[in-house]
Amino acid sequence: MIALDDHASGRHFLQIPGPSPVPDRILRAISLPTIDHRGPEFATLGKKVIGGLQQVFQTEHPVVIYPASGTGAWEAALVNVASPGDSLLMYETGHFASLWQKMAQRLGLEPEFLALPGIDETGLPRSWRHGVQADLIEERLRKDGAHRIKAVCVVHNETSTGVTSDIAAVRRAIDAAGHPALLMVDTISGLASADYRHDAWGVDVTVSGSQKGLMLPPGISFNALSPKAIEAARTARLPKAFWAWDEIVEMNKGGYWPCTPSTNLLYGLSEALDMVLEQGLPAVFARHQRWGEGVRTAVRAWGLPTQCADERVHSPVLTGVITPQGVDADALRRLIHERFDLSLGAGLGKLRGRMFRIGHLGDCNDLTLMAALTGVEMGLKLAGVPLAGSGVLAAMAFFAGTPLVDVASRPIE
Ligand SMILES: *Cc1c(COP(=O)(O)O)cnc(C)c1O
């Protein structure tokens, strides 16, 4: 019997917005022998990765590394600063914001969930098509005269929708309301892809992870801290042991950890930081911005709406594409996976079956992205979706006609 398979050779196209493809250079670094995590060589590695992460988070303050997925770092952020029954102001931008809110409830906190009300012409919630509205946060904080709200929690790059939020505007809103709440931000999928500035934007805790812009396998995640967050952790009363910042930050000063760190993932992290910092953050951000524009050019040519309904806040990391009413986006994704060995992101939560997501982050380039768009266009045609035109041709013209220097020369904000 001969097994017939359309894709028994070549690399799988992992075009989901995380985990993103891991470059060979990082895979080779991870394959090095595991060393003694209390030995002298280890301290060099430990100090290097923490210093490199500080550059990527754009902070001078401690960054804590956990051997956990991003969800662990979410929990760490909450349990370090909150006490039982504390109120939080969280903002509904999509599925990941919703999961963080649910976690806060499970931890015995009282998260209030702000959202832009209503459903729009696509039948989808407006709040899942726009970024955080800082004025709603300011308005709510002004009503909290007793300062019961402990922290404002927002997602910077909402991976379920492809919408980013203006974090500096959220900080301005908190300050304008004269409110002492901490600002906690999830940029699990934004770090090392979209511009992010922990110190300059006045963020108290930033949560991130390894398997998105940093191009690592899943398995480690981060909390970047501010002096105010460290101070809050001293008196916060939710139980914390494994996640507690104090012991980790103390031992990190020497380049070590209280428990066994993920040594081989730290080798990978060291390599990833070299790659990102050698190129320079502005170049990395411009590269992602350009891919995002190229993919949106294709989506526009197909005549399909993007999940993000606000031109100013399209994610440079991924693009959500809404399928026409009656077209099951999950069936479309299955077809594309079976025929072309291409994985696309699913519609999550309230978007299930209504949209799919194209990741354009990390170890990507014009031609891998063109191939992915070709797979999507072939799939859309096979699924009988009427298209206004060829997204592939439009994206080819975009990529050929838009050198990176053109994008990099524009101001980021
Ligand atoms: C991926 C992701 C998470 C969850 O991280 P895990 O590593 O899957 O635990 C949370 N928030 C955002 C914005 C994400 O992209």
Side-chain angles (χ1 to χ4, degrees), residues 17 69-72 74 96 155 157-159 186-189 211-212:
S69 86
T71 304
W74 261 350
F96 288 102
V155 175
N157 185 69
E158 178 53 80
T159 324
D186 166 347
T187 191
I188 293 181
S189 63
Q211 76 272 28
K212 315 230 167 147

Side-chain angles (χ1 to χ4, degrees), residues 143-166:
K143 289 186 191 142
D144 182 35
H147 295 167
R148 291 196 57 249
I149 295 168
K150 179 82 197 176
V152 173
C153 304
V154 295
V155 175
H156 170 233
N157 185 69
E158 178 53 80
T159 324
S160 64
T161 62
V163 180
T164 59
S165 285
D166 184 344

Side-chain angles (χ1 to χ4, degrees), residues 64-97:
V64 175
I65 306 175
Y66 293 108
S69 86
T71 304
W74 261 350
E75 179 159 340
L78 295 174
V79 299
N80 270 283
V81 301
S83 299
D86 269 354
S87 299
L88 303 175
L89 186 58
M90 303 182 98
Y91 193 100
E92 182 178 354
T93 42
H95 188 62
F96 288 102

